[in-house]
Each structure stands twice: as structure tokens, then as C-alpha cells.
Amino acid sequence: MHITTSEHAVISQQKKDKVTIQYRELQMMNGSDQTRIALAILDCSTSIPRWRYLHETLVA
């Protein structure tokens, strides 16, 4: 079983049609948990936002 949750999302920057979001992600798979800190840049120039960049860092 694979479960992913995201929490503590913060919009860290918003310029024109670009939004930068930071969040913490918890992935649980077959009894093993991993936490990551993520940074994403979204393009909101159309009615459907598009991912332009994603960086995830594993929290040890």
C-alpha cells in the first residue's frame, strides 16, 4: 500500500503568473515512511495550473 500526504504548504512567492510553494510530504509504503521537503513552481497563466519545477529533499 502506498499513501502520500502533504502538509504545511506555504506560498513563498507569487509573481505574475508564477507561484512558488514549499511543503512537507510524507510517503508511507509497505511499513516504510519517508519525509521530504519540497519546493514547486507552478505556472498559473492558464485556467489549469502547470508544474514547471519540483525539487524534493529527503529528511533524514
Side-chain angles (χ1 to χ4, degrees):
M1 176 186 282
H2 185 158
I3 300 172
T4 302
T5 64
S6 298
E7 55 188 21
H8 303 291
V10 175
I11 295 176
S12 59
Q13 189 175 54
Q14 186 170 2
K15 288 187 176 181
K16 282 196 169 186
D17 298 332
K18 303 272 189 295
V19 177
T20 303
I21 301 172
Q22 294 176 304
Y23 60 93
R24 184 171 70 183
E25 181 178 280
L26 173 61
Q27 294 183 352
M28 297 171 276
M29 190 158 94
N30 300 326
S32 177
D33 296 354
Q34 289 186 340
T35 301
R36 293 183 172 96
I37 301 298
L39 174 78
I41 298 176
L42 303 178
D43 179 350
C44 299
S45 62
T46 63
S47 61
I48 300 172
R50 293 173 290 187
W51 290 82
R52 290 297 181 205
Y53 177 81
L54 175 64
H55 179 84
E56 295 181 327
T57 302
L58 183 64
V59 176

